[in-house]
Amino acid sequence: MTIATATRFRQVCAEHGLTATHQRQILFEVLQGMTGHPSPEKVYAKVKRRIPSVSLATVYKNIHLFIASGIFREVSLHHGSLRVEVNSRPHHHLVCTVCRSISDIDEKDLGLLQKPKTLSSGFLVERYAVDVLGRCPSCQEKP
Amino acid sequence: MTIATATRFRQVCAEHGLTATHQRQILFEVLQGMTGHPSPEKVYAKVKRRIPSVSLATVYKNIHLFIASGIFREVSLHHGSLRVEVNSRPHHHLVCTVCRSISDIDEKDLGLLQKPKTLSSGFLVERYAVDVLGRCPSCQEKP
DNA sequence: TTACAGATGATAAGAATTATTGTTTAATAA
DNA sequence: TTATTAAACAATAATTCTTATCATCTGTAA
Ligand SMILES: [Mn+2]
Ligand SMILES: [Mn+2]
Ligand SMILES: [Zn+2]
Ligand SMILES: [Zn+2]
């Protein structure tokens, strides 16, 4: 870790009211150096190289803390348990970032996309799934 | 169950090459009668009212079977484990429906949306997350 | 009707995540 | 600097969700 990195980490912690612990700093640096969408286990493996005594629970807790603070995001808000889609109409989803409730919105009511069927990357498109992220009516009351 | 429903179920099974068992029929009817995005436990509870001896494992297995056959969908392809987003640029995701790999696509390269900031439903929009579902290059080889 | 591949129910096992608890540490003020 | 204390930590038990195993049963087609 460079002095600059360390300083920036302390700044980030100050901004979000977090205690600047050694474990958090290494986790922060490890995450910044990773690509893709790593799992907690993958992150843990990397942190452990630099802090052999680190606990998996600490990695989980601090990933959640970083996410709650907005320092990092999670890839998907619905990574929990399996849910069955029983609505056969073409539709998308309104996902509340606070309570994680999911409600349907008809494709036409969203009215926003012209969907390219091919992408330069060689990916064969089947369909688009849009999550509109935000706050549901009942979660707008408390700030 | 009406005769019509039973007949339609047999037809669906025939189309997809599935054995038409009693458990599957009740599951099918229960799913069709539900709204929202039920969990396997919720579905199990309803099936159990009509077949008290049914096993949770059977419900899981047949939900997966229905999904694999395309009779129902799952709400999200990434409902597995937590993944950290370490890419801070505005981007969306290409999700392979076969191997479930997730790769990034820059917002501008997707180039498709004009995003309404308000929705009639009273939902407060923060941002949009688009999953482009389809087949990644390596999964296009096998049909 | 019978044979049998495939489905079911009971339950053990596994994977991912969270809770608990005793110990250690970072921040702050004397 | 050192003492104080709330917060964070490591270790690990517990919980939740899902899948695997296996003995028994059943739907299908000959
Ligand atoms: Mn839906
Ligand atoms: Mn991404
Ligand atoms: Zn909400
Ligand atoms: Zn693929």
Side-chain angles (χ1 to χ4, degrees), chain A residues 22-84:
Chain A
H22 182 52
Q23 287 85 345
R24 266 173 208 169
Q25 169 149 359
I26 302 304
L27 174 64
F28 181 80
E29 290 173 22
V30 160
L31 284 174
Q32 290 215 310
M34 293 183 87
T35 59
H37 308 99
S39 65
E41 282 285 353
K42 278 266 189 290
V43 176
Y44 171 62
K46 280 199 179 277
V47 171
K48 207 172 173 61
R49 285 191 211 151
R50 294 179 57 184
I51 313 177
S53 65
V54 78
S55 163
L56 177 61
T58 296
V59 170
Y60 265 98
K61 279 182 289 196
N62 285 309
I63 285 175
H64 285 314
L65 188 72
F66 285 167
I67 288 168
S69 303
I71 300 169
F72 288 92
R73 283 187 173 157
E74 52 189 312
V75 173
S76 167
L77 283 189
H78 19 111
H79 68 84
S81 65
L82 174 65
R83 296 306 169 92
V84 186

Side-chain angles (χ1 to χ4, degrees), chain A residues 96 98-101 135-136 138-139:
Chain A
C96 180
V98 179
C99 70
R100 299 196 171 217
S101 64
R135 289 185 172 228
C136 75
S138 80
C139 287

Side-chain angles (χ1 to χ4, degrees), chain A residues 6-26:
Chain A
T7 305
R8 196 156 70 78
F9 171 70
R10 299 199 147 264
Q11 199 174 341
V12 167
C13 285
E15 277 169 19
H16 294 90
L18 308 181
T19 305
T21 69
H22 182 52
Q23 287 85 345
R24 266 173 208 169
Q25 169 149 359
I26 302 304

Side-chain angles (χ1 to χ4, degrees), chain A residues 36-37 75, chain B residues 85 87 91-93 102-104:
Chain A
H37 308 99
V75 173
Chain B
E85 181 58 78
N87 179 349
H91 70 280
H92 297 288
H93 291 121
I102 302 173
S103 55
D104 292 346

Side-chain angles (χ1 to χ4, degrees), chain B residues 84 99 103 109 117 141:
Chain B
V84 186
C99 69
S103 55
D109 293 336
K117 286 284 182 297
E141 290 161 19

Side-chain angles (χ1 to χ4, degrees), chain A residues 123, chain B residues 96-101 134-140:
Chain A
F123 189 89
Chain B
C96 180
T97 53
V98 179
C99 69
R100 298 198 171 215
S101 64
R135 287 184 173 231
C136 76
S138 80
C139 286
Q140 285 174 41

